[in-house]
Amino acid sequence: MKKQQTLVLIKPDGLKKSLTGNILTKLSETRLRIVGAKVVCVNEELAKKHYQHLTDKPFFEELKNYIMGKIHGKEYQRVLALVYQGENAITKVRELAGATNPEEAVSTSIRGAYGRITTKGVYENVIHTSGTLTEAEREIKLWFRPEEITTNLYPIVKTKDKIKWETSYDNVKL
Ligand code: IDP
Ligand code: MG
């Protein structure tokens, strides 16, 4: 099995509930390597691009506000973004994260243990993890610049003053 990378986001509710340590400890069970990490203030453009596959859902507006931290107070308008790398990284991390709906997630999974559904119906499931190889590539390129990752799996282009991803899938209409 080839090396994979996957994007993990600890969402604003995860930061508000001081779950960062617990989540990273849980993810360390995978023995995967962290190759990128940073704290990000999510603006509307990034939120829309990240959730581009859900733009026509009735909960999209709430979802956008959730990932932007708007429902958790000003000091929680941030997420912790990480890239994990290793064999089968996508499935390994997703298994520990648990099902999308925190009430259906196994109780020992991250979402099962720490997630909730708000009265407005948003799944506050504390963590995002890429679902497929295509998603992982799109999401990693959306959240990270090549020089922010210690090992690049995806081709980059170096110009005189810039390093860019060779291809991106940043095709959402805003
Ligand atoms: P995933 O995060 O498990 O990959 P996606 O379908 O990609 O699931 O959805 C992205 C996020 O949108 C979820 O993590 C959750 O926060 C929210 N979401 C997905 N489906 C629903 C739903 O049916 N009701 C409310 N929120 C949802
Ligand atoms: Mg998804």
Side-chain angles (χ1 to χ4, degrees):
M1 176 43 110
K2 258 181 73 180
K3 241 192 275 175
Q4 294 178 345
Q5 288 182 348
T6 188
L7 180 79
V8 171
L9 303 176
I10 302 185
K11 298 182 182 180
D13 53 324
L15 296 174
K16 186 166 188 172
K17 293 174 179 168
S18 294
L19 292 171
T20 313
N22 301 41
I23 293 171
L24 295 185
T25 301
K26 183 86 181 159
L27 291 177
S28 68
E29 287 172 21
T30 60
R31 317 303 296 162
L32 294 167
R33 178 184 302 182
I34 296 173
V35 295
K38 61 177 177 178
V39 179
V40 182
C41 259
V42 183
N43 61 27
E44 183 147 8
E45 182 180 342
L46 180 58
K48 278 186 181 168
K49 285 180 176 172
H50 180 69
Y51 284 129
Q52 65 177 30
H53 61 298
L54 299 170
T55 44
D56 53 2
K57 298 282 183 205
F59 56 82
F60 182 68
E61 224 22 62
E62 294 295 335
L63 178 60
K64 221 174 55 188
N65 288 338
Y66 167 37
I67 197 71
M68 290 168 73
K70 284 202 169 169
I71 45 185
H72 293 95
K74 257 208 154 14
E75 67 271 41
Y76 299 105
Q77 294 191 356
R78 59 199 156 86
V79 307
L80 178 61
L82 301 127
V83 179
Y84 279 82
Q85 176 177 300
E87 270 190 27
N88 226 359
I90 295 169
T91 316
K92 280 182 183 160
V93 173
R94 243 178 127 81
E95 270 173 19
L96 291 185
T100 307
N101 179 342
E103 284 184 5
E104 283 169 9
V106 174
S107 58
T108 51
S109 68
I110 294 165
R111 287 167 165 179
Y114 305 125
R116 66 164 192 155
I117 302 182
T118 68
T119 45
K120 287 188 172 168
V122 179
Y123 296 175
E124 281 191 3
N125 52 14
V126 303
I127 187 175
H128 164 84
T129 80
S130 309
T132 62
L133 272 173
T134 319
E135 260 182 37
E137 180 174 354
R138 187 187 77 85
E139 292 173 355
I140 289 165
K141 290 176 173 179
L142 181 62
W143 287 81
F144 284 85
R145 296 196 305 272
E147 63 269 32
E148 293 176 316
I149 299 175
T150 56
T151 326
N152 282 310
L153 288 192
Y154 312 115
I156 54 176
V157 196
K158 287 185 188 172
T159 58
K160 217 168 42 190
D161 49 357
K162 247 197 190 152
I163 304 174
K164 285 190 351 185
W165 297 115
E166 192 178 275
T167 51
S168 74
Y169 299 88
D170 191 5
N171 50 9
V172 72
K173 286 194 204 78
L174 293 170

